[in-house]
Amino acid sequence: MISYGINGLYAITPDIADTVQLCAMTQQILLAGVQYVQYRNKIADSILRLHQARALARLCKQHNVFFIINDHYDLAIEVDADGVHVGKEDIAICDARNYLGQNKIIGVSCYNQLELALEAERQGADYVAFGAFFHSKTKTNTVRASTDLLSEAKNKLGIPIVAIGGITLANAASLINHGSDSIAVSHGLYGAQNIRSVAKNFTQLFLKTDQTFSSSS
């Protein structure tokens, strides 16, 4: 199985019905050097999801960027995405691996529970995500995670750690300093007036803290 070093800024798309607008915004993020984009749209029907996922998959391929699908492993297969991100109520990791294959990325939401992350690693996840660390405008029914969890997880996990939930330029550094290999941002990017500039500023935070990580499994 290929090892993936998930690191730096990880963009997550917001609930936008306008595919042209979504791609134009994502293009600005890609031009800033982001290497990971997750397609997540909770208001779209299956037809719109497929249309948007295909468009974003083409865009990410043009920029040689990893494209991840949230929840819908079948959609990931349909558009030949680079992987899928699942939660505790979605498809099991082993089933996702069987469907997607050994060379695809599988990320797992672990909320504020280190035990879930340890189990996800045992089952073959390529990265885990903790959060929400701050108030999130994208997801309102989230549990809260502490930065101490990142430090503990960093000592116990051998796969990359992603922090998510209400992350802004003002609070991201603390998550990186506590051990997060990557920060997943949605509203903080797509809601910005100058998306490309903000994305560049986020990536600069990792250079300032000298965070480098290469996963091994």
Side-chain angles (χ1 to χ4, degrees):
M1 185 171 66
I2 293 176
S3 297
Y4 294 96
I6 307 296
N7 57 76
L9 180 59
Y10 185 149
I12 299 182
T13 64
D15 295 340
I16 295 178
D18 187 332
T19 304
V20 173
Q21 180 187 12
L22 178 61
C23 287
M25 297 167 82
T26 303
Q27 171 85 351
Q28 293 303 305
I29 293 171
L30 297 178
L31 289 173
V34 174
Q35 293 298 304
Y36 310 93
V37 173
Q38 181 187 133
Y39 173 60
R40 180 185 183 276
N41 192 334
K42 295 299 185 180
I43 64 171
D45 59 23
S46 58
I47 296 175
L48 179 59
R49 275 199 303 269
L50 179 58
H51 179 60
Q52 291 187 335
R54 279 176 172 166
L56 289 171
R58 287 194 297 269
L59 186 60
C60 288
K61 187 173 183 179
Q62 291 170 6
H63 288 266
N64 197 28
V65 167
F66 290 106
F67 181 54
I68 311 295
I69 298 289
N70 182 273
D71 293 352
H72 301 279
Y73 73 92
D74 52 341
L75 182 60
I77 295 171
E78 178 76 16
V79 304
D80 192 26
D82 295 294
V84 67
H85 183 94
V86 298
K88 62 182 178 181
E89 296 179 359
D90 301 318
I91 187 172
I93 296 171
C94 59
D95 292 334
R97 181 66 69 197
N98 288 336
Y99 283 121
L100 272 67
Q102 296 299 310
N103 296 333
K104 298 295 186 178
I105 300 170
I106 297 178
V108 181
S109 290
C110 297
Y111 316 101
N112 60 357
Q113 300 177 48
L114 180 58
E115 294 78 11
L116 288 179
L118 293 170
E119 181 59 29
E121 181 178 36
R122 283 192 289 269
Q123 292 185 20
D126 294 292
Y127 73 87
V128 293
F130 293 111
F133 287 92
F134 309 102
H135 173 70
S136 173
K137 293 184 178 181
T138 304
K139 298 179 71 174
T140 57
N141 59 337
T142 57
V143 297
R144 294 298 289 270
S146 71
T147 53
D148 289 340
L149 173 63
L150 292 174
S151 301
E152 186 178 3
K154 188 69 173 178
N155 289 328
K156 295 184 178 180
L157 292 170
I159 55 176
I161 299 167
V162 179
I164 189 171
I167 299 175
T168 66
L169 286 171
N171 60 34
S174 66
L175 303 176
I176 301 170
N177 289 330
H178 277 83
S180 178
D181 301 292
S182 174
I183 50 173
V185 185
S186 181
H187 180 77
L189 280 175
Y190 285 88
Q193 288 188 332
N194 190 327
I195 295 174
R196 187 174 178 179
S197 176
V198 170
K200 284 185 175 180
N201 287 336
F202 269 117
T203 58
Q204 286 295 319
L205 292 174
F206 287 89
L207 299 177
K208 291 177 181 178
T209 52
D210 194 30
Q211 287 288 305
T212 57
F213 184 89
S214 178
S215 66
S216 59
S217 59

